[in-house]
Amino acid sequence: MAVSKRLLLARASMVARGLCSGLELGSARGFASEQEQQQQQLLLPLQRSPEGRNHQWVFLGCPGVGKGTYASRLSSLIGVPHIATGDLVRDELAASGPLSSQLAEIVNQGKLVPDEIVMDLLSKRLEAREAKGETGFILDGFPRTVRQAEILEGVTDIDLVVNLKLREEALLAKCLGRRICSQCGGNYNIASIDIKGENGQPGMYMAPLLPPPQCASKMITRSDDTEEVVKERLRIYNELTKPVEDFYRQRGKLLEFDLPGGIPESWPKLLQALNLGDNDDKRSAAA
Ligand code: AMP
């Protein structure tokens, strides 16, 4: 079947599953001439509830940047589900269904899963969300190609796209240091990143995020977090996902956020950038 036909079917499947129910179809927001104005515009959706619905945000950023960490914290804070397509792919892999071996090969090479598979997994997750009475979302790991972004834009209105950025030297180390508790699913990182300041660039320290004692003996590493595969994932990000930043920049939806360090430094600043700085939950979430 031609790719475009499959994509149309995937899109139809998203529509049929209710992704766009009650939502306005995608409409590009106006461009602001100044970057500052543009960022201000971006924050408007945070101060109102567009069409009375919950926030629909996307997190972009290279592998290892911390999308999962910050998206998950924000989802608890603003009360919308955090939906990571990487998790959906891993769940499908673990279920050992008919797609498993095909997916394992793709993921373990650091390549992207075909659009129609990932869209189908996402559609099912969104359907489950509706059944649970959840609304809104923070998408993490989707869209990863301009084509995915176009399809998403065609079925629903994304309010805000947060582009998390971290110095390249830290990304590989962060991926290689990632650990997951096989029992509770908690995410940790054993990497201690200490980049010395040079040539006018400030240094950067990111402390490890160590597991609590009950998880320490149950740490596992993702099969695609090897040096070779991470390098390929970074290459693919630059080739296929970086253009998605432009896609949203041109639509005035992209909020750039340079992570200044680890969670203690970055989390309060991110909340500030999102105009959530005065929220009481900030203090407990930052702890
Ligand atoms: P992540 O946990 O986001 O790093 O995703 C793990 C892997 O799942 C990726 O390397 C891809 O193989 C696959 N994957 C996740 N999201 C997508 C997507 N939107 N499009 C294609 N493949 C994806």
Side-chain angles (χ1 to χ4, degrees):
M1 198 190 297
V3 171
S4 56
K5 190 159 179 200
R6 284 202 304 260
L7 287 170
L8 278 176
L9 285 178
R11 176 186 159 162
S13 142
M14 288 180 97
V15 175
R17 288 173 198 279
L19 174 59
C20 63
S21 63
L23 308 180
E24 164 188 294
L25 286 181
S27 63
R29 294 189 198 290
F31 296 92
S33 49
E34 301 286 330
Q35 198 191 2
E36 211 177 24
Q37 254 178 315
Q38 196 179 41
Q39 305 273 310
Q40 290 279 317
Q41 281 284 110
L42 281 168
L43 298 177
L44 286 177
L46 312 182
Q47 290 152 11
R48 63 185 160 84
S49 186
E51 300 92 43
R53 63 159 168 76
N54 233 329
H55 301 305
Q56 302 195 149
W57 293 358
V58 163
F59 264 58
L60 285 182
C62 287
V65 78
K67 293 187 296 294
T69 303
Y70 294 103
S72 144
R73 283 175 165 239
L74 273 173
S75 92
S76 313
L77 192 63
I78 64 173
V80 298
H82 165 214
I83 301 178
T85 45
D87 288 345
L88 302 181
V89 169
R90 281 182 288 278
D91 288 348
E92 187 67 25
L93 265 171
S96 302
L99 286 178
S100 292
S101 55
Q102 187 193 348
L103 289 181
E105 203 179 315
I106 297 170
V107 171
N108 290 332
Q109 287 176 8
K111 309 277 188 236
L112 292 188
V113 167
D115 285 337
E116 71 271 25
I117 296 181
V118 90
M119 309 272 306
D120 193 50
L121 294 175
L122 178 59
S123 300
K124 285 181 184 148
R125 173 63 184 86
L126 289 164
E127 194 179 49
R129 167 198 76 142
E130 286 195 357
K132 283 197 254 173
E134 294 171 335
T135 55
F137 50 71
I138 299 183
L139 290 181
D140 151 11
F142 188 95
R144 249 178 162 102
T145 61
V146 169
R147 185 162 267 177
Q148 290 180 4
E150 283 166 353
I151 292 171
L152 186 63
E153 197 73 1
V155 293
T156 195
D157 201 18
I158 296 301
D159 308 316
L160 181 73
V161 178
V162 181
N163 188 26
L164 289 185
K165 293 189 288 187
L166 183 63
R167 287 163 66 166
E168 212 171 314
E169 308 98 287
L171 292 172
L172 181 61
K174 286 270 313 296
C175 284
L176 299 182
R178 185 150 52 191
R179 297 291 181 275
I180 301 157
C181 174
S182 56
Q183 195 161 33
C184 73
N187 284 283
Y188 305 100
N189 206 302
I190 60 167
S192 173
I193 292 162
D194 193 359
I195 301 168
K196 303 274 169 272
E198 56 182 9
N199 303 330
Q201 261 219 319
M204 178 188 264
Y205 178 68
M206 297 174 85
L209 181 61
L210 297 175
Q214 68 272 20
C215 297
S217 62
K218 302 178 188 105
M219 295 291 98
I220 52 169
T221 308
R222 273 171 52 167
S223 58
D224 57 346
D225 273 345
T226 63
E227 183 164 346
E228 190 191 350
V229 179
V230 171
K231 284 184 173 162
E232 176 63 2
R233 284 161 55 207
L234 286 167
R235 191 192 67 75
I236 295 222
Y237 185 90
N238 285 324
E239 184 186 321
L240 298 175
T241 313
K242 207 122 186 63
V244 177
E245 296 174 10
D246 267 337
F247 178 90
Y248 287 118
R249 193 174 288 118
Q250 285 162 10
R251 285 160 178 76
K253 295 186 178 185
L254 196 75
L255 179 80
E256 307 273 11
F257 186 78
D258 281 294
L259 290 158
I263 297 171
E265 303 84 36
S266 302
W267 176 243
K269 291 214 164 74
L270 179 61
L271 292 181
Q272 239 170 22
L274 290 169
N275 250 10
L276 298 168
D278 291 326
N279 197 309
D280 281 348
D281 291 300
K282 173 183 114 175
R283 279 171 285 280
S284 54

